[in-house]
Amino acid sequence: MSDFCIETQGLTRVFGTLVAVDRIAVRVPKGCFYGFLGPNGAGKSTTIKMLTGLLKPTTGAASILGLDLQRDLLEIKRRIGVVPEGLHLFERLTGREYLTFVGRMYGLDRVTVGKRTDELIAMMDLGEKQDALIVDYSHGMKKKIALSAALIHDPEIYFLDEPFEGVDAIASKQIRDVLQSL
């Protein structure tokens, strides 16, 4: 068994003539925080999209939790949590409804979904807004509900694309505390 939760070899993504990600070779040890830093357009979000199965690499290979990204994609998706770049929330649901929906999509039973939803709403300090439509949430609250959705099934790895972008200092601290506790 590997000591790495993520391994890539020559991971590349090309769009027409643009090489967005060029032969990345990464080994991320288990149990750590790992981040991609770079200017806009450097390929950070594209790399995350490839590692989470949202975008197919042009060439190269990757393994997540020892599973081949191409061959075992469905199993990988069951075992990871993702907060994508644009959040992509169903904003006409309440926070509670959204977490229930996501939990059920991951195959959790109703009792477990209810328990995890209660825990995550409390952890993210969303209790007062849990029954409000997500469309009426602030940007920071939307980030917290998206993170809650990524955590509801207790994944082994979290992929967070710009988790603090547009978030105020208080929400940023809450999110950091939650991530540190995990």
Side-chain angles (χ1 to χ4, degrees), residues 166-176:
V167 176
D168 66 62
I170 294 170
S172 177
K173 170 87 168 88
Q174 289 172 319
I175 291 170
R176 286 174 206 260

Side-chain angles (χ1 to χ4, degrees), residues 107-137:
L108 302 177
D109 62 75
R110 292 184 192 283
V111 172
T112 303
V113 168
K115 181 177 177 250
R116 290 289 294 148
T117 297
D118 290 342
E119 291 169 356
L120 291 163
I121 285 172
M123 185 185 307
M124 297 291 181
D125 196 26
L126 291 170
E128 290 183 21
K129 293 289 191 174
Q130 66 182 315
D131 295 319
L133 294 178
I134 294 172
V135 71
D136 295 327
Y137 281 18

